[in-house]
Amino acid sequence: MKDTTFALYKLDTCPYCVKTIKVIKSLNIEVSLKDINESKKHNNALIQEGGKRQVPCLKIVKNNSAPVWLYESDEIIEFLKNSTI
């Protein structure tokens, strides 16, 4: 997935985030992890740009186009699995 960047907005205590991160690691995909409790900047970006404060949330930027914000762990996992085929 050249020219595509990923950022996962997460909380360490969220079981859905933990599940999603395990899959990301198993797929060996480079994803920037952004904890919304550790950084006010990350929390604000998630709310202002993504539209709501819900984790996990995967920010997908393809070829410098407008970002796509994907919520729900199962949808994130399915997207990433299909992207690595």
Side-chain angles (χ1 to χ4, degrees):
M1 290 184 289
K2 271 188 170 175
D3 300 322
T4 302
T5 61
F6 301 107
L8 184 73
Y9 290 78
K10 61 150 187 112
L11 289 170
D12 287 338
T13 56
C14 168
Y16 300 104
C17 295
V18 171
K19 170 181 149 180
T20 304
I21 292 168
K22 283 182 182 178
V23 172
I24 289 169
K25 289 180 180 179
S26 74
L27 294 172
N28 199 30
I29 298 173
E30 187 176 326
V31 176
S32 174
L33 300 178
K34 301 187 182 285
D35 192 299
I36 63 170
N37 272 352
E38 292 180 5
S39 169
K40 197 170 193 87
K41 177 182 172 184
H42 297 327
N43 184 59
N44 290 341
L46 177 62
I47 294 168
Q48 293 171 0
E49 296 174 39
K52 56 185 171 180
R53 188 180 192 267
Q54 177 184 326
V55 293
C57 179
L58 184 68
K59 179 181 176 183
I60 307 159
V61 180
K62 293 182 182 182
N63 301 318
N64 295 319
S65 62
V68 174
W69 296 80
L70 186 59
Y71 292 89
E72 302 297 335
S73 59
D74 289 337
E75 291 178 18
I76 293 168
I77 290 166
E78 190 66 27
F79 170 81
L80 292 173
K81 284 183 176 179
N82 288 334
S83 297
T84 59
I85 296 174

